[in-house]
Amino acid sequence: MSAPNNFLETAFGLTGRRALVTGSSQGIGFALALGLAKAGAAIVLNGRNTDKLKQAHADLIKEVPDADVLTLPFDATDHDAVRVAVDDFEANHGAIDILVNNAGMQHRTPLADFPADKFDMLLQTNVASVFHVGQAVARHMIERKSGKIINICSVQTALARPGIAPYTATKGAVANLTKGMATDWAGFGLQCNAIAPGYFDTPLNAALVADPEFSAWLEKRTPAARWGKVEELVGACVFLSSPASSFVNGHCLYVDGAISVSL
């Protein structure tokens, strides 16, 4: 019985690796950080709100008492601040082996009335942050010729819905940026992939979850007939973070209850 366990540990174990998860004080980011910690990875929590980060740190330790958890507050939309924070962390704490670019935001307004400032904010938060943090971390990974980058896309990478056209545009951009990362960096030993969640019960979707009409529509539209649970994203993240995905590159893995493949 020891052989299967040894195989799983070799293929999927993350012991000895460190993962930086942006936007990880709540929601999907926290769930992924927690899942990676349970798989053995050391965790670096990131966000702009230091109080939320402290609480997330305490919550993660409560779930995984022996976890190695640090916090690294920075604004993922600030190129210079990201570079300084990542370089300083690498110099003083060691390698970031896994990066999960999760920081993101949503704004819902009909496209004809969509405010220009909110459009710019979406671009900075959802797209530019992936570039800023991805580049800063990848430079160190390239030197080591090893690393995993996982960008969080969305079912809106493939599908549109009224009122969120700019968000849809940003998530399409993240998918293509992921392909570009893989194309540029695969030769240096990096695997750059994406996860595209469907509709999950998160703070970002709180207004939709609270809307009985929308939830009823979603249950009919999704073959799995329900909202996703954030912990259901963990398996995909562990796979893409682990040696098991050593030849998977530029891929966007949909975790969406089959909504993106059905009419």
Side-chain angles (χ1 to χ4, degrees), residues 138-149:
R139 284 176 170 171
H140 295 279
M141 291 177 169
I142 287 168
E143 290 181 2
R144 293 188 290 268
K145 298 191 179 302
S146 175
K148 302 279 190 173
I149 296 178

Side-chain angles (χ1 to χ4, degrees), residues 91-147:
N92 292 287
H93 297 282
I96 297 169
D97 307 291
I98 301 159
L99 167 64
V100 182
N101 272 314
N102 168 75
M105 65 165 290
Q106 175 64 287
H107 184 80
R108 298 179 177 90
T109 304
L111 184 58
D113 302 315
F114 208 93
D117 63 329
K118 295 299 184 184
F119 181 62
D120 289 338
M121 192 179 299
L122 279 166
L123 290 174
Q124 289 301 312
T125 306
N126 294 357
V127 183
S129 69
V130 176
F131 165 74
H132 297 324
V133 186
Q135 184 189 69
V137 173
R139 284 176 170 171
H140 295 279
M141 291 177 169
I142 287 168
E143 290 181 2
R144 293 188 290 268
K145 298 191 179 302
S146 175

